[in-house]
Amino acid sequence: MGRREKPLDPGLGAVQRFAYALRKLRDEAGTPTYRSMARQAGYSGPTLSAAAAGERLPTLPVVRAYVVACGGDPEEWARRWKEAVAEVGDARVSDSADDDPGPYPGLARFGTGDEEHFHGRGELVDGLVRLTGRARITAVVGASGSGKSSLLRAGLIPALRGLSLLTILPGPATG
């Protein structure tokens, strides 16, 4: 079970009102998990969760993906989003029609489905694959935000899925 969302007060302005309405749409859809929404939306669960957090307006492509994952009308929600942008007057909010989420998830961690966007750590992933084949317990440690979860989810897990167990597990002792 995921963390409970912080309460929103729709009377505090356009951003909270918009997030409140997104949450209501999700509730009406049967309260799917953000993880299940992410599988269909093309955006990560944390990105979808942030869209309904009420801290800032999400981008229009994220709103469309969130709404479609909840069975809503994306055109109606595009209109509502534009009204919220006009009320907030925030030029930093993107109304880009580009539905490509891009290869970098921002501050969100990479997920197991993001392996095609996860680059630059091939040697480390290969070393972890070999290590998990030899050791009963393997720990990945590092500073907060250094990419440990992304390394495991978008690097190690897909690599292990692509191998047969016979490739990574040590054979019987000889001699």
Side-chain angles (χ1 to χ4, degrees):
M1 179 180 212
R3 278 183 241 148
R4 290 203 165 174
E5 293 179 306
K6 293 178 184 175
L8 291 173
D9 180 355
L12 290 179
V15 173
Q16 289 231 347
R17 188 169 42 257
F18 190 82
Y20 184 86
L22 282 175
R23 286 185 187 180
K24 184 176 178 196
L25 175 68
R26 181 172 164 248
D27 287 342
E28 291 168 356
T31 318
T33 65
Y34 286 115
R35 183 176 292 179
S36 68
M37 289 170 61
R39 282 191 286 271
Q40 144 179 25
Y43 287 90
S44 70
T47 298
L48 297 172
S49 175
E55 295 171 9
R56 64 179 181 270
L57 280 175
T59 64
L60 183 56
V62 170
V63 170
R64 287 179 183 275
Y66 186 108
V67 168
V68 168
C70 292
D73 177 4
E75 295 311 311
E76 174 195 342
W77 281 88
R79 180 188 50 75
R80 292 171 80 165
W81 179 85
K82 288 175 183 175
E83 290 171 0
V85 169
E87 187 175 337
V88 171
D90 191 347
R92 294 171 298 164
V93 177
S94 171
D95 65 350
S96 169
D98 181 9
D99 289 332
D100 179 15
Y104 179 64
L107 295 177
R109 67 176 177 248
F110 284 91
T112 55
D114 296 322
E115 109 182 78
E116 70 275 6
H117 299 300
F118 189 73
H119 301 286
R121 295 205 177 170
E123 286 183 36
L124 186 55
V125 170
D126 291 343
L128 276 174
V129 167
R130 287 190 303 275
L131 183 59
T132 56
R134 291 190 316 262
R136 277 186 95 178
I137 298 174
T138 302
V140 176
V141 296
S144 176
S146 63
K148 300 176 299 292
S149 294
S150 293
L151 173 66
L152 296 175
R153 292 171 185 263
L156 181 62
I157 291 172
L160 291 175
R161 285 181 180 158
L163 296 175
S164 83
L165 287 178
L166 297 175
T167 307
I168 61 171
L169 295 178
T174 58

